[in-house]
Amino acid sequence: YDWKAGWDCMRHYEILAAGSVPYFLDLQGCPSRTMGPFPKKLVLEAMALDGVHVTLSEDGAEVQEAWIDHARFNHSAYLILLRQIQAWTARYLSSTALASRLLSEMHVSLLPSPK
């Protein structure tokens, strides 16, 4: 959740497009119909990997400290999740995919691409 822009803001998609995995303070609390095409399940799996440590403020609104214990962190599992998140991003969050989804919701047929 971005306190300035809300759940569904461009910053989250920019992080994915840059090949990184975002960390959300309360992704489980995201309303189910918000951030529909966002890979919530995959991001939650990455956040839950052993060795990821995050200390929050008393009210849970701010990260006080964040670090990775590389002795415990499963790098192989992270790389698998990262590849899955990147594939999801390319398939469902690209401008072409989002435009196609919008047109489909509007019941507009796509014309074949010129050769």
Side-chain angles (χ1 to χ4, degrees), residues 50-98:
D50 192 30
V52 176
H53 297 279
V54 176
T55 305
L56 302 177
S57 60
E58 282 188 37
D59 63 359
E62 293 182 30
V63 174
Q64 298 295 316
E65 182 180 59
W67 57 281
I68 294 175
D69 179 350
H70 289 279
R72 294 176 51 203
F73 188 71
N74 187 335
H75 291 84
S76 297
Y78 172 77
L79 290 174
I80 290 168
L81 284 168
L82 177 62
R83 284 189 210 106
Q84 290 174 333
I85 290 168
Q86 289 172 332
W88 182 281
T89 300
R91 182 171 183 180
Y92 297 107
L93 300 176
S94 68
S95 57
T96 302
L98 292 172

Side-chain angles (χ1 to χ4, degrees), residues 7-62:
W7 281 110
D8 202 6
C9 69
M10 292 306 298
R11 180 173 299 149
H12 305 145
Y13 299 98
E14 290 168 355
I15 292 168
L16 294 175
S20 297
V21 179
Y23 191 94
F24 287 83
L25 295 183
D26 187 23
L27 187 55
Q28 301 90 333
C30 179
S32 62
R33 297 183 58 94
T34 300
M35 295 173 61
F38 192 87
K40 292 180 204 175
K41 183 180 177 205
L42 293 170
V43 171
L44 285 168
E45 286 182 50
M47 290 169 45
L49 287 172
D50 192 30
V52 176
H53 297 279
V54 176
T55 305
L56 302 177
S57 60
E58 282 188 37
D59 63 359
E62 293 182 30

